[in-house]
Amino acid sequence: MAILPEEFRSLINARQSIRFFDNARTIPTDVIEAIIDDAQQSPNDCNHQSWKFVVVTDHALKERLVDAAGSCEPAKRASVLIVPLIESGWNHNKFSIIQTLAAATHTLILSAKTRGIESVWMAGIGNVETIRKLLHIPPAYIIDCFVGLGYAKAEQMPWPKAPRQPVKKICSFNRFAFDPDTTYPLKKSTKYDFWKISNQRNPYALWHPRDWTIRQIAFFRGNAVWANSPSPTLHKSRRLSPEFDKEIEFASAHLKVGKTLIMLPYSGAYSAALLKEVPDALITHFELSENHEPIIRKRMKEEGITNEIPFIADDELSIALPDNSFDNVLIFQGLEILPEPSRLIKETERLLKMNGRLFITCRNKWSWFFLKFLWVTKKETVWNFGPYWPLSPTKLRGMLRDKFTGNFLGISPLPRHIGRHVKKWPFNYFSRLIVFIGERTKI
Ligand SMILES: Cc1cc2nc3c(=O)[nH]c(=O)nc-3n(C[C@H](O)[C@H](O)[C@H](O)COP(=O)(O)O)c2cc1C
C-alpha cells in the first residue's frame, strides 16, 4: 500500500464538481477505458458486477440528452458523458444495487482526477425514458445518474469548494448524538417508505419555516446554495421567480442614494442584476450562513461585477451593524423563508435611517398561487432556497405598520398575467407576488 493518508486527502480535497470544460482537449479512449476499469474495482453487492458504462462522446447526442431529455446543462458541456448503469434486481431491500452504482461512480471520478480530468456527478438527468431511447438502453437497466468528464478551463481553476462541516459535527461514537440544528426536519412518521422518495418527490418534507429552527434553515440554505456551480447560467435557476425582472426594475427605480443592505441574497442573483442596473450601488449582504459568501463572490466575478460587497452572516438574525446604517434595505422574497419574519423587520427598523427606503417582495398567501403552492408542498421536496410559506398582505401590513409608510403593488395578478404589475386595490392584494415600496417614517 503505497498511498499515504495525506496523499489520499489531497486527492479528495482537489476533487470538486466542475461544470465547464475545455473541449479543445479530448480525453483519449484508452484513458476513458482505464478510468472505467478503475471504477469496476469498487466494492459491489454479492460481487454480481451487474454494472455497465455507456460512454457518450458524440456532441450531437449530448445536446439531445439536454434538449430532449431535459438533463442539466453540464451534460452537454462535458467532453465525455459517462452513463453508469446497473441491472435491476438484487436490491436486498436496502438499495444494494444503487449502493454499488454509487461506489463505482465515486471511484470513477477519483480515478479521473488522478489523471487531471475533472468531473461532475449529475442526478438532474431529466426524463429517463427519453435517455433510454436515445442510448438504446434496455428496460432492465437502471439509469440514475450521469458523470460529466473533461479537462477544466485553466482560467476557471481554482474553483471554490463547497464547505464541509467540522468532523465532530458529523461523527458520534456508539450512539447517535448530533446537534439537531444540523438535521433537516421531516414529517413525523414511524416508517419512511423510501420507494416513495425520489429526487423530485419527498412526501415527508416540511415546507413551513415554523417547523424548522432558524439554525436548521441556515444550515440547509448554506449547504444547498452549493448544489450548483457559482456559474450565473446555472444560478438563473428555473426556480427563480418569474417576476425577477420586474422586481429588479422596481427596486432599482426606487433606490435612494447611499448604502443598501440586501437581506438574504442566497447566491446573489438579485444583487448581480441590481448592480447591472445601478452599477455604483453600495451594497452590503446579510445571510444566515457564511457559506454564501464565496459563492456570491465567484458569481460577481463571473458576471464582471467588481464592486466590493461586505458580507455579514448570523443564524440568529442579529446583524452586527450600528443603528441607522443604511439608506435602503431590500428583501427579495426573504421574509417568507423565516420562522419569525417580524424579527427581520425589527432588525430592518434598527438598521434603516429615518426616511430610508424599504423594498420588500413576498409570495402572497391570498393569491391563486397559494393553491398551486399547497399542491407542490404535498408532492415535492423543499427547494434548495429552503423552506418557505407565503405571507398574507395583512400579515405583512401588520409587521410594517408601526414604523413604515408606503404602497403595496402586486405582480402576476393572474396565472395568465405573469410579470404584469397592478397598483389598484384589491388586485394588488391578490397577486402572486406582493411588493412593498416604502420608507421608515416613525421612530
Ligand atoms: C447523487 C448526486 C447528484 C448530483 N446531481 C447534480 C446535478 O444534477 N447537477 C449538478 O450540477 N451537480 C450535481 N451533483 C454535484 C453536487 O451538487 C456536488 O457534489 C455538491 O454540491 C458538493 O460539491 P463538490 O462536488 O464540488 O464538492 C450531484 C452529486 C451527487 C452525489
Side-chain angles (χ1 to χ4, degrees):
M1 246 290 295
I3 299 174
L4 296 170
E6 51 275 24
E7 288 171 336
F8 181 65
R9 180 64 190 225
S10 82
L11 170 68
I12 53 176
N13 270 0
R15 196 260 355 129
Q16 54 186 151
S17 298
I18 294 296
R19 298 173 177 90
F20 289 90
F21 300 93
D22 177 2
N23 287 332
R25 290 179 70 191
T26 50
I27 308 176
T29 303
D30 60 328
V31 174
I32 297 171
E33 286 172 351
I35 290 171
I36 292 173
D37 194 19
D38 283 352
Q40 70 155 335
Q41 309 309 315
S42 307
N44 66 94
D45 59 296
C46 298
N47 199 32
H48 287 165
Q49 301 192 28
S50 47
W51 43 38
K52 299 280 185 284
F53 300 84
V54 175
V55 181
V56 183
T57 51
D58 178 350
H59 188 67
L61 197 50
K62 281 184 270 168
E63 295 221 315
R64 296 271 295 139
L65 287 168
V66 172
D67 300 341
S71 305
C72 66
E73 289 278 322
K76 100 166 119 184
R77 293 196 291 256
S79 310
V80 164
L81 203 60
I82 313 270
V83 187
L85 299 169
I86 195 124
E87 200 177 6
S88 311
W90 296 281
N91 241 331
H92 308 303
N93 199 25
K94 293 285 183 293
F95 291 103
S96 291
I97 50 176
I98 306 302
Q99 294 188 44
T100 294
L101 200 62
T105 305
H106 192 220
T107 308
L108 190 149
I109 62 180
L110 288 184
S111 168
K113 185 70 197 174
T114 63
R115 298 160 205 274
I117 296 167
E118 305 298 335
S119 64
V120 58
W121 181 331
M122 289 165 278
I125 57 176
N127 186 308
V128 166
E129 291 319 310
T130 311
I131 299 167
R132 198 181 289 291
K133 259 193 218 122
L134 285 169
L135 302 179
H136 305 278
I137 299 168
Y141 278 85
I142 293 174
I143 311 166
D144 262 349
C145 67
F146 292 164
V147 179
L149 293 180
Y151 296 97
K153 284 190 173 161
E155 70 274 15
Q156 282 182 340
M157 301 299 283
W159 203 263
K161 170 125 174 151
R164 300 305 202 262
Q165 299 166 65
V167 68
K168 289 204 182 319
K169 290 219 163 196
I170 58 157
C171 160
S172 79
F173 291 87
N174 302 320
R175 62 183 291 254
F176 186 97
F178 296 102
D179 176 358
D181 286 333
T182 62
T183 298
Y184 306 131
L186 296 177
K187 272 178 203 144
K188 293 265 175 289
S189 173
T190 47
K191 188 167 178 285
Y192 286 90
D193 183 351
F194 290 102
W195 293 107
K196 282 193 180 159
I197 306 173
S198 71
N199 200 20
Q200 293 305 322
R201 198 182 136 75
N202 176 0
Y204 305 108
L206 286 174
W207 278 75
H208 206 305
R210 268 204 316 254
D211 295 321
W212 296 55
T213 65
I214 190 153
R215 290 216 170 101
Q216 284 173 324
I217 295 171
F219 181 68
F220 181 89
R221 280 167 63 88
N223 288 336
V225 71
W226 289 86
N228 273 326
S229 79
S231 134
T233 49
L234 280 173
H235 264 313
K236 194 118 200 261
S237 147
R238 269 180 283 181
R239 288 187 166 163
L240 214 51
S241 172
E243 291 85 7
F244 184 85
D245 293 339
K246 207 67 177 183
E247 291 173 87
I248 292 299
E249 182 190 318
F250 279 124
S252 47
H254 290 92
L255 212 60
K256 295 201 177 195
V257 176
K259 288 173 72 184
T260 298
L261 176 62
I262 298 190
M263 301 282 204
L264 307 171
Y266 196 67
S267 67
Y270 282 96
S271 310
L274 190 81
L275 282 168
K276 286 196 175 143
E277 294 299 315
V278 191
D280 55 355
L282 295 170
I283 289 179
T284 299
H285 280 149
F286 169 72
E287 250 300 346
L288 302 177
S289 152
E290 293 285 351
N291 280 9
H292 297 258
E293 198 273 336
I295 210 156
I296 293 175
R297 186 149 25 91
K298 176 80 179 173
R299 164 200 282 275
M300 294 299 167
K301 201 170 153 215
E302 294 220 328
E303 299 212 23
I305 293 166
T306 52
N307 305 44
E308 191 55 44
I309 306 178
F311 180 92
I312 295 164
D314 186 74
D315 61 9
E316 273 301 331
L317 291 184
S318 53
I319 305 174
L321 288 171
D323 297 1
N324 305 311
S325 300
F326 291 96
D327 302 277
N328 304 281
V329 173
L330 314 182
I331 313 175
F332 295 103
Q333 304 193 22
L335 288 173
E336 61 271 39
I337 73 144
L338 298 170
E340 293 175 83
S342 57
R343 285 181 49 206
L344 194 67
I345 296 295
K346 282 269 168 283
E347 273 301 79
T348 302
E349 287 168 8
R350 189 179 68 73
L351 293 166
L352 194 58
K353 290 179 188 165
M354 191 53 90
N355 300 321
R357 164 77 63 231
L358 176 59
F359 182 90
I360 295 173
T361 67
C362 177
R363 283 154 287 189
N364 183 2
K365 193 174 174 179
W366 284 3
S367 68
W368 54 271
F369 158 77
F370 187 59
L371 292 176
K372 207 172 146 193
F373 169 80
L374 284 180
W375 189 83
V376 167
T377 62
K378 299 256 176 305
K379 297 263 178 222
E380 290 197 22
T381 72
V382 165
W383 297 355
N384 282 340
F385 297 104
Y388 76 95
W389 205 261
L391 297 178
S392 69
T394 41
K395 170 114 184 174
L396 195 57
R397 264 191 100 98
M399 285 191 284
L400 299 172
R401 196 169 32 217
D402 286 352
K403 303 279 156 84
F404 302 96
T405 317
N407 296 317
F408 289 88
L409 306 178
I411 312 183
S412 305
L414 289 169
R416 279 180 292 139
H417 295 152
I418 295 286
R420 190 179 293 182
H421 75 275
V422 283
K423 292 184 180 165
K424 275 214 181 94
W425 191 86
F427 304 105
N428 57 353
Y429 269 29
F430 295 99
S431 299
R432 189 184 110 97
L433 203 69
I434 187 139
V435 183
F436 175 77
I437 306 174
E439 289 180 349
R440 185 180 155 204
T441 46
K442 288 166 222 149
I443 306 256

